[in-house]
Amino acid sequence: QETFAYCSSLKRVYFPAGLTQIGGRAFAECTALTGIKIPEGILKIDTGAFYGCSSPQNVSFPSTLTTIESQAFKYTALSTVVLPNSVSYLGSQAFGMCSNLTALKLSTSMTETGQYAFYDCDNLTHLTLPANIKAISYCSFSGCSNLQYIHCLGEYPDISHAAFTYSTEPTIIIYYNEGIDSWANRSGGNDYTLQIWDGPPDPDPVVPYFEESAITPPEKPAVPQHKDPQGGSPGVVVPPPETPPAETPA
């Protein structure tokens, strides 16, 4: 817990091979941390792992990731979130209050959006819900004041009565594809209306690009070496001998 939390000068992190989980609040409030690249092999990002990291605008997730726990990226400066299709669970407030978030792609393995998962992401204007989404959870998009529409690709989901509380005026439009029976005879709610989608699909957000220097550890500097002064085998290098301390005259 809180392994590197509050390291306000930390700018880069290089994760070792073999790591499967990023611990709770491991990098919380590391306000100078730049782009975050989670390596392959990581299965879970625990509660509050990057909470309050106010500098990184992008994060890249591995195809092995399945779980993002509550508040993992709350109060971060992320502008783009592209979840890999391996992610099946988002905890409460996982990306809550990310006020810079403008582009979001959900995983096709998710069946619900997660309580408060994107609340107060007030620059998010639209998103597409994959076909496997069965529920828009309680307050998932509450406070998203610029959210204009959601395009549902699958069956009619269970929409929480507070899914869009305090989100926008006028009401949000939920679009659905024609020919799906479960949408028939459905009506809107207090803060959303239903309409048939009649345009081309929205393009998916692009996975963030990272400069190689930002994700690859720098090479270790070479250790100074010299040849054996005692006449060892040609070409053999050994560490410099220690210099004994000078004797002090009596």
Side-chain angles (χ1 to χ4, degrees):
Q1 294 285 318
E2 299 192 345
T3 310
F4 300 99
Y6 307 106
C7 292
S8 58
S9 297
L10 182 66
K11 293 183 177 180
R12 293 181 181 177
V13 176
Y14 305 108
F15 296 95
L19 199 65
T20 60
Q21 178 175 328
I22 298 176
R25 294 183 60 83
F27 300 96
E29 305 285 358
C30 290
T31 53
L33 191 64
T34 55
I36 303 167
K37 182 176 175 63
I38 312 297
E40 290 295 325
I42 294 291
L43 304 175
K44 178 181 179 180
I45 300 174
D46 217 334
T47 302
F50 295 95
Y51 179 102
C53 292
S54 54
S55 292
Q57 295 184 350
N58 293 312
V59 58
S60 177
F61 296 106
S63 62
T64 52
L65 184 66
T66 62
T67 303
I68 300 176
E69 290 287 0
S70 61
Q71 301 188 25
F73 293 91
K74 184 178 179 181
Y75 283 123
T76 58
L78 298 177
S79 61
T80 300
V81 169
V82 177
L83 297 178
N85 289 332
S86 55
V87 172
S88 58
Y89 176 77
L90 284 186
S92 176
Q93 307 178 52
F95 295 92
M97 305 194 80
C98 292
S99 59
N100 290 345
L101 185 63
T102 58
L104 171 64
K105 181 180 183 294
L106 299 180
S107 164
T108 58
S109 296
M110 293 171 57
T111 57
E112 58 182 293
T113 54
Q115 293 189 5
Y116 291 96
F118 302 98
Y119 86 102
D120 275 5
C121 292
D122 50 16
N123 276 306
L124 187 64
T125 60
H126 64 277
L127 73 148
T128 299
L129 292 189
N132 283 343
I133 294 288
K134 306 303 181 188
I136 301 178
S137 307
Y138 183 80
C139 288
S140 284
F141 302 99
S142 174
C144 293
S145 56
N146 286 297
L147 185 61
Q148 299 170 16
Y149 70 87
I150 291 175
H151 182 192
C152 293
L153 299 182
E155 303 287 339
Y156 180 84
D158 180 15
I159 303 174
S160 165
H161 71 279
F164 308 108
T165 305
Y166 307 118
S167 287
T168 187
E169 288 291 342
T171 54
I172 294 167
I173 301 172
I174 297 182
Y175 288 104
Y176 60 96
N177 292 340
E178 191 172 13
I180 300 178
D181 292 342
S182 59
W183 290 91
N185 302 317
R186 297 285 184 174
S187 58
N190 292 333
D191 40 23
Y192 65 90
T193 60
L194 305 181
Q195 292 185 31
I196 295 175
W197 181 264
D198 59 359
D202 285 329
D204 286 336
V206 177
V207 176
Y209 171 78
F210 287 85
E211 293 286 347
E212 193 65 25
S213 61
I215 61 175
T216 305
E219 293 184 2
K220 295 181 179 179
V223 177
Q225 296 177 329
H226 76 295
K227 290 187 177 181
D228 185 355
Q230 305 302 320
S233 301
V236 174
V237 293
V238 297
E242 295 184 3
T243 303
E247 296 186 1
T248 304

mmCIF file of all heavy atoms in Angstrom, residues 136-171:
data_model
loop_
_atom_site.group_PDB
_atom_site.id
_atom_site.type_symbol
_atom_site.label_atom_id
_atom_site.label_comp_id
_atom_site.label_asym_id
_atom_site.label_seq_id
_atom_site.Cartn_x
_atom_site.Cartn_y
_atom_site.Cartn_z
ATOM 1 N N ILE A 136 -26.322 0.251 -17.330
ATOM 2 C CA ILE A 136 -25.651 1.533 -17.093
ATOM 3 C C ILE A 136 -25.863 1.813 -15.608
ATOM 4 O O ILE A 136 -26.973 2.098 -15.160
ATOM 5 C CB ILE A 136 -26.247 2.645 -17.969
ATOM 6 C CG1 ILE A 136 -26.105 2.269 -19.456
ATOM 7 C CG2 ILE A 136 -25.547 3.969 -17.701
ATOM 8 C CD1 ILE A 136 -26.722 3.285 -20.410
ATOM 9 N N SER A 137 -24.797 1.689 -14.855
ATOM 10 C CA SER A 137 -24.890 1.598 -13.406
ATOM 11 C C SER A 137 -25.210 2.928 -12.735
ATOM 12 O O SER A 137 -25.168 3.995 -13.355
ATOM 13 C CB SER A 137 -23.574 1.039 -12.843
ATOM 14 O OG SER A 137 -23.222 -0.165 -13.475
ATOM 15 N N TYR A 138 -25.483 2.830 -11.456
ATOM 16 C CA TYR A 138 -25.857 3.983 -10.633
ATOM 17 C C TYR A 138 -24.800 5.077 -10.713
ATOM 18 O O TYR A 138 -23.626 4.869 -10.411
ATOM 19 C CB TYR A 138 -26.031 3.532 -9.179
ATOM 20 C CG TYR A 138 -26.493 4.607 -8.235
ATOM 21 C CD1 TYR A 138 -27.840 4.976 -8.165
ATOM 22 C CD2 TYR A 138 -25.584 5.259 -7.398
ATOM 23 C CE1 TYR A 138 -28.267 5.964 -7.282
ATOM 24 C CE2 TYR A 138 -26.007 6.243 -6.514
ATOM 25 C CZ TYR A 138 -27.341 6.592 -6.468
ATOM 26 O OH TYR A 138 -27.756 7.579 -5.602
ATOM 27 N N CYS A 139 -25.214 6.251 -11.168
ATOM 28 C CA CYS A 139 -24.365 7.456 -11.235
ATOM 29 C C CYS A 139 -23.108 7.265 -12.092
ATOM 30 O O CYS A 139 -22.119 7.981 -11.910
ATOM 31 C CB CYS A 139 -23.974 7.928 -9.834
ATOM 32 S SG CYS A 139 -25.339 8.685 -8.920
ATOM 33 N N SER A 140 -23.141 6.312 -13.034
ATOM 34 C CA SER A 140 -21.968 6.092 -13.898
ATOM 35 C C SER A 140 -21.493 7.380 -14.569
ATOM 36 O O SER A 140 -20.299 7.634 -14.663
ATOM 37 C CB SER A 140 -22.291 5.067 -14.986
ATOM 38 O OG SER A 140 -22.301 3.775 -14.484
ATOM 39 N N PHE A 141 -22.449 8.175 -15.045
ATOM 40 C CA PHE A 141 -22.113 9.404 -15.773
ATOM 41 C C PHE A 141 -22.730 10.632 -15.098
ATOM 42 O O PHE A 141 -22.951 11.651 -15.734
ATOM 43 C CB PHE A 141 -22.574 9.283 -17.224
ATOM 44 C CG PHE A 141 -21.967 8.107 -17.939
ATOM 45 C CD1 PHE A 141 -22.676 6.916 -18.087
ATOM 46 C CD2 PHE A 141 -20.672 8.165 -18.425
ATOM 47 C CE1 PHE A 141 -22.114 5.827 -18.721
ATOM 48 C CE2 PHE A 141 -20.100 7.075 -19.061
ATOM 49 C CZ PHE A 141 -20.814 5.896 -19.213
ATOM 50 N N SER A 142 -22.953 10.525 -13.813
ATOM 51 C CA SER A 142 -23.481 11.654 -13.061
ATOM 52 C C SER A 142 -22.503 12.823 -13.107
ATOM 53 O O SER A 142 -21.295 12.653 -12.978
ATOM 54 C CB SER A 142 -23.699 11.230 -11.600
ATOM 55 O OG SER A 142 -24.077 12.321 -10.803
ATOM 56 N N GLY A 143 -23.029 14.013 -13.340
ATOM 57 C CA GLY A 143 -22.181 15.199 -13.366
ATOM 58 C C GLY A 143 -21.384 15.400 -14.637
ATOM 59 O O GLY A 143 -20.552 16.309 -14.708
ATOM 60 N N CYS A 144 -21.615 14.567 -15.660
ATOM 61 C CA CYS A 144 -20.934 14.763 -16.953
ATOM 62 C C CYS A 144 -21.683 15.862 -17.708
ATOM 63 O O CYS A 144 -22.563 15.584 -18.539
ATOM 64 C CB CYS A 144 -20.901 13.458 -17.744
ATOM 65 S SG CYS A 144 -19.880 12.176 -16.994
ATOM 66 N N SER A 145 -21.339 17.082 -17.415
ATOM 67 C CA SER A 145 -22.173 18.219 -17.811
ATOM 68 C C SER A 145 -22.189 18.495 -19.308
ATOM 69 O O SER A 145 -23.040 19.246 -19.787
ATOM 70 C CB SER A 145 -21.710 19.478 -17.062
ATOM 71 O OG SER A 145 -20.338 19.725 -17.279
ATOM 72 N N ASN A 146 -21.251 17.915 -20.070
ATOM 73 C CA ASN A 146 -21.233 18.124 -21.517
ATOM 74 C C ASN A 146 -21.563 16.867 -22.311
ATOM 75 O O ASN A 146 -21.411 16.849 -23.534
ATOM 76 C CB ASN A 146 -19.874 18.671 -21.958
ATOM 77 C CG ASN A 146 -19.696 20.121 -21.576
ATOM 78 O OD1 ASN A 146 -20.428 20.995 -22.035
ATOM 79 N ND2 ASN A 146 -18.734 20.395 -20.698
ATOM 80 N N LEU A 147 -22.003 15.825 -21.627
ATOM 81 C CA LEU A 147 -22.349 14.586 -22.314
ATOM 82 C C LEU A 147 -23.605 14.794 -23.156
ATOM 83 O O LEU A 147 -24.662 15.154 -22.634
ATOM 84 C CB LEU A 147 -22.570 13.466 -21.292
ATOM 85 C CG LEU A 147 -22.814 12.072 -21.862
ATOM 86 C CD1 LEU A 147 -21.629 11.601 -22.694
ATOM 87 C CD2 LEU A 147 -23.091 11.079 -20.726
ATOM 88 N N GLN A 148 -23.475 14.572 -24.464
ATOM 89 C CA GLN A 148 -24.581 14.815 -25.385
ATOM 90 C C GLN A 148 -25.324 13.533 -25.770
ATOM 91 O O GLN A 148 -26.547 13.526 -25.843
ATOM 92 C CB GLN A 148 -24.061 15.511 -26.643
ATOM 93 C CG GLN A 148 -23.429 16.868 -26.363
ATOM 94 C CD GLN A 148 -22.719 17.424 -27.579
ATOM 95 O OE1 GLN A 148 -22.925 16.968 -28.705
ATOM 96 N NE2 GLN A 148 -21.860 18.401 -27.369
ATOM 97 N N TYR A 149 -24.561 12.457 -26.030
ATOM 98 C CA TYR A 149 -25.240 11.231 -26.437
ATOM 99 C C TYR A 149 -24.401 9.999 -26.133
ATOM 100 O O TYR A 149 -23.177 10.067 -25.961
ATOM 101 C CB TYR A 149 -25.613 11.261 -27.911
ATOM 102 C CG TYR A 149 -24.462 11.175 -28.878
ATOM 103 C CD1 TYR A 149 -23.963 9.935 -29.301
ATOM 104 C CD2 TYR A 149 -23.871 12.324 -29.408
ATOM 105 C CE1 TYR A 149 -22.917 9.850 -30.202
ATOM 106 C CE2 TYR A 149 -22.833 12.249 -30.316
ATOM 107 C CZ TYR A 149 -22.357 11.009 -30.714
ATOM 108 O OH TYR A 149 -21.312 10.932 -31.597
ATOM 109 N N ILE A 150 -25.099 8.865 -26.081
ATOM 110 C CA ILE A 150 -24.500 7.543 -25.939
ATOM 111 C C ILE A 150 -25.092 6.663 -27.027
ATOM 112 O O ILE A 150 -26.306 6.676 -27.266
ATOM 113 C CB ILE A 150 -24.798 6.949 -24.548
ATOM 114 C CG1 ILE A 150 -24.052 7.735 -23.460
ATOM 115 C CG2 ILE A 150 -24.415 5.478 -24.485
ATOM 116 C CD1 ILE A 150 -24.382 7.279 -22.050
ATOM 117 N N HIS A 151 -24.234 5.901 -27.692
ATOM 118 C CA HIS A 151 -24.698 4.978 -28.731
ATOM 119 C C HIS A 151 -24.571 3.560 -28.197
ATOM 120 O O HIS A 151 -23.464 3.061 -27.979
ATOM 121 C CB HIS A 151 -23.865 5.154 -30.002
ATOM 122 C CG HIS A 151 -24.301 4.277 -31.131
ATOM 123 N ND1 HIS A 151 -23.534 4.102 -32.269
ATOM 124 C CD2 HIS A 151 -25.414 3.513 -31.317
ATOM 125 C CE1 HIS A 151 -24.161 3.279 -33.085
ATOM 126 N NE2 HIS A 151 -25.301 2.910 -32.531
ATOM 127 N N CYS A 152 -25.697 2.906 -27.987
ATOM 128 C CA CYS A 152 -25.722 1.522 -27.508
ATOM 129 C C CYS A 152 -25.738 0.567 -28.705
ATOM 130 O O CYS A 152 -26.622 0.652 -29.555
ATOM 131 C CB CYS A 152 -26.954 1.276 -26.641
ATOM 132 S SG CYS A 152 -26.957 2.165 -25.081
ATOM 133 N N LEU A 153 -24.793 -0.351 -28.737
ATOM 134 C CA LEU A 153 -24.687 -1.270 -29.874
ATOM 135 C C LEU A 153 -25.509 -2.539 -29.683
ATOM 136 O O LEU A 153 -25.749 -3.265 -30.651
ATOM 137 C CB LEU A 153 -23.224 -1.645 -30.115
ATOM 138 C CG LEU A 153 -22.272 -0.498 -30.466
ATOM 139 C CD1 LEU A 153 -20.868 -1.037 -30.715
ATOM 140 C CD2 LEU A 153 -22.770 0.277 -31.680
ATOM 141 N N GLY A 154 -25.910 -2.828 -28.437
ATOM 142 C CA GLY A 154 -26.591 -4.088 -28.188
ATOM 143 C C GLY A 154 -28.017 -3.928 -27.718
ATOM 144 O O GLY A 154 -28.720 -2.983 -28.094
ATOM 145 N N GLU A 155 -28.439 -4.876 -26.895
ATOM 146 C CA GLU A 155 -29.796 -4.899 -26.374
ATOM 147 C C GLU A 155 -30.031 -3.732 -25.420
ATOM 148 O O GLU A 155 -29.097 -3.103 -24.939
ATOM 149 C CB GLU A 155 -30.049 -6.224 -25.639
ATOM 150 C CG GLU A 155 -29.827 -7.478 -26.469
ATOM 151 C CD GLU A 155 -30.925 -7.693 -27.491
ATOM 152 O OE1 GLU A 155 -32.026 -7.125 -27.310
ATOM 153 O OE2 GLU A 155 -30.700 -8.442 -28.471
ATOM 154 N N TYR A 156 -31.310 -3.495 -25.143
ATOM 155 C CA TYR A 156 -31.661 -2.441 -24.196
ATOM 156 C C TYR A 156 -31.054 -2.760 -22.829
ATOM 157 O O TYR A 156 -31.305 -3.828 -22.264
ATOM 158 C CB TYR A 156 -33.176 -2.328 -24.080
ATOM 159 C CG TYR A 156 -33.633 -1.257 -23.112
ATOM 160 C CD1 TYR A 156 -33.734 0.063 -23.524
ATOM 161 C CD2 TYR A 156 -33.955 -1.584 -21.794
ATOM 162 C CE1 TYR A 156 -34.151 1.050 -22.637
ATOM 163 C CE2 TYR A 156 -34.373 -0.606 -20.903
ATOM 164 C CZ TYR A 156 -34.461 0.705 -21.330
ATOM 165 O OH TYR A 156 -34.862 1.685 -20.458
ATOM 166 N N PRO A 157 -30.224 -1.854 -22.267
ATOM 167 C CA PRO A 157 -29.607 -2.143 -20.967
ATOM 168 C C PRO A 157 -30.498 -1.680 -19.819
ATOM 169 O O PRO A 157 -31.388 -0.848 -19.998
ATOM 170 C CB PRO A 157 -28.324 -1.315 -21.023
ATOM 171 C CG PRO A 157 -28.704 -0.119 -21.847
ATOM 172 C CD PRO A 157 -29.721 -0.604 -22.851
ATOM 173 N N ASP A 158 -30.226 -2.223 -18.648
ATOM 174 C CA ASP A 158 -30.889 -1.734 -17.440
ATOM 175 C C ASP A 158 -30.256 -0.383 -17.094
ATOM 176 O O ASP A 158 -29.068 -0.318 -16.761
ATOM 177 C CB ASP A 158 -30.677 -2.743 -16.305
ATOM 178 C CG ASP A 158 -31.338 -2.301 -15.006
ATOM 179 O OD1 ASP A 158 -32.186 -1.380 -15.055
ATOM 180 O OD2 ASP A 158 -30.979 -2.852 -13.952
ATOM 181 N N ILE A 159 -31.015 0.694 -17.185
ATOM 182 C CA ILE A 159 -30.489 2.046 -16.978
ATOM 183 C C ILE A 159 -30.886 2.517 -15.579
ATOM 184 O O ILE A 159 -32.073 2.666 -15.280
ATOM 185 C CB ILE A 159 -31.014 3.023 -18.035
ATOM 186 C CG1 ILE A 159 -30.660 2.519 -19.444
ATOM 187 C CG2 ILE A 159 -30.440 4.419 -17.814
ATOM 188 C CD1 ILE A 159 -31.268 3.349 -20.563
ATOM 189 N N SER A 160 -29.902 2.725 -14.725
ATOM 190 C CA SER A 160 -30.185 3.178 -13.367
ATOM 191 C C SER A 160 -30.912 4.521 -13.396
ATOM 192 O O SER A 160 -30.642 5.374 -14.257
ATOM 193 C CB SER A 160 -28.881 3.318 -12.578
ATOM 194 O OG SER A 160 -29.077 4.060 -11.387
ATOM 195 N N HIS A 161 -31.799 4.733 -12.447
ATOM 196 C CA HIS A 161 -32.558 5.986 -12.402
ATOM 197 C C HIS A 161 -31.647 7.188 -12.158
ATOM 198 O O HIS A 161 -32.022 8.318 -12.437
ATOM 199 C CB HIS A 161 -33.621 5.908 -11.297
ATOM 200 C CG HIS A 161 -33.059 5.958 -9.909
ATOM 201 N ND1 HIS A 161 -32.524 4.853 -9.290
ATOM 202 C CD2 HIS A 161 -32.948 6.987 -9.032
ATOM 203 C CE1 HIS A 161 -32.108 5.190 -8.085
ATOM 204 N NE2 HIS A 161 -32.348 6.471 -7.891
ATOM 205 N N ALA A 162 -30.424 6.935 -11.644
ATOM 206 C CA ALA A 162 -29.504 8.039 -11.361
ATOM 207 C C ALA A 162 -28.257 7.993 -12.241
ATOM 208 O O ALA A 162 -27.256 8.637 -11.939
ATOM 209 C CB ALA A 162 -29.099 8.017 -9.884
ATOM 210 N N ALA A 163 -28.337 7.248 -13.342
ATOM 211 C CA ALA A 163 -27.145 7.078 -14.185
ATOM 212 C C ALA A 163 -26.584 8.396 -14.683
ATOM 213 O O ALA A 163 -25.365 8.567 -14.801
ATOM 214 C CB ALA A 163 -27.473 6.172 -15.368
ATOM 215 N N PHE A 164 -27.467 9.365 -14.978
ATOM 216 C CA PHE A 164 -27.036 10.631 -15.579
ATOM 217 C C PHE A 164 -27.381 11.848 -14.707
ATOM 218 O O PHE A 164 -27.456 12.969 -15.196
ATOM 219 C CB PHE A 164 -27.693 10.801 -16.948
ATOM 220 C CG PHE A 164 -27.509 9.616 -17.851
ATOM 221 C CD1 PHE A 164 -28.571 8.772 -18.141
ATOM 222 C CD2 PHE A 164 -26.276 9.319 -18.399
ATOM 223 C CE1 PHE A 164 -28.417 7.681 -18.967
ATOM 224 C CE2 PHE A 164 -26.112 8.224 -19.222
ATOM 225 C CZ PHE A 164 -27.180 7.395 -19.518
ATOM 226 N N THR A 165 -27.550 11.643 -13.418
ATOM 227 C CA THR A 165 -27.935 12.741 -12.535
ATOM 228 C C THR A 165 -26.967 13.914 -12.645
ATOM 229 O O THR A 165 -25.752 13.727 -12.667
ATOM 230 C CB THR A 165 -27.951 12.252 -11.068
ATOM 231 O OG1 THR A 165 -28.804 11.114 -10.984
ATOM 232 C CG2 THR A 165 -28.467 13.330 -10.132
ATOM 233 N N TYR A 166 -27.506 15.100 -12.736
ATOM 234 C CA TYR A 166 -26.714 16.340 -12.813
ATOM 235 C C TYR A 166 -25.785 16.355 -14.024
ATOM 236 O O TYR A 166 -24.723 16.970 -14.003
ATOM 237 C CB TYR A 166 -25.878 16.549 -11.546
ATOM 238 C CG TYR A 166 -26.671 16.487 -10.274
ATOM 239 C CD1 TYR A 166 -26.395 15.512 -9.314
ATOM 240 C CD2 TYR A 166 -27.697 17.376 -10.043
ATOM 241 C CE1 TYR A 166 -27.140 15.433 -8.144
ATOM 242 C CE2 TYR A 166 -28.454 17.308 -8.872
ATOM 243 C CZ TYR A 166 -28.158 16.334 -7.938
ATOM 244 O OH TYR A 166 -28.890 16.260 -6.781
ATOM 245 N N SER A 167 -26.179 15.665 -15.086
ATOM 246 C CA SER A 167 -25.275 15.567 -16.229
ATOM 247 C C SER A 167 -25.422 16.731 -17.197
ATOM 248 O O SER A 167 -24.463 17.446 -17.453
ATOM 249 C CB SER A 167 -25.482 14.247 -16.978
ATOM 250 O OG SER A 167 -24.965 13.184 -16.230
ATOM 251 N N THR A 168 -26.572 16.954 -17.771
ATOM 252 C CA THR A 168 -26.632 17.944 -18.845
ATOM 253 C C THR A 168 -28.059 18.445 -19.043
ATOM 254 O O THR A 168 -29.019 17.804 -18.655
ATOM 255 C CB THR A 168 -26.105 17.335 -20.167
ATOM 256 O OG1 THR A 168 -26.028 18.357 -21.157
ATOM 257 C CG2 THR A 168 -26.995 16.218 -20.650
ATOM 258 N N GLU A 169 -28.151 19.607 -19.631
ATOM 259 C CA GLU A 169 -29.428 20.169 -20.080
ATOM 260 C C GLU A 169 -29.231 20.623 -21.526
ATOM 261 O O GLU A 169 -28.264 21.327 -21.820
ATOM 262 C CB GLU A 169 -29.833 21.358 -19.212
ATOM 263 C CG GLU A 169 -30.292 20.973 -17.816
ATOM 264 C CD GLU A 169 -31.603 20.236 -17.799
ATOM 265 O OE1 GLU A 169 -32.331 20.316 -18.813
ATOM 266 O OE2 GLU A 169 -31.907 19.576 -16.809
ATOM 267 N N PRO A 170 -30.100 20.281 -22.447
ATOM 268 C CA PRO A 170 -31.260 19.403 -22.285
ATOM 269 C C PRO A 170 -30.827 17.957 -22.083
ATOM 270 O O PRO A 170 -29.636 17.692 -21.933
ATOM 271 C CB PRO A 170 -32.003 19.593 -23.602
ATOM 272 C CG PRO A 170 -30.942 19.929 -24.586
ATOM 273 C CD PRO A 170 -29.929 20.748 -23.827
ATOM 274 N N THR A 171 -31.748 17.042 -22.125
ATOM 275 C CA THR A 171 -31.455 15.656 -21.775
ATOM 276 C C THR A 171 -30.517 14.971 -22.767
ATOM 277 O O THR A 171 -30.417 15.334 -23.930
ATOM 278 C CB THR A 171 -32.764 14.848 -21.694
ATOM 279 O OG1 THR A 171 -33.467 15.013 -22.925
ATOM 280 C CG2 THR A 171 -33.637 15.332 -20.550
#
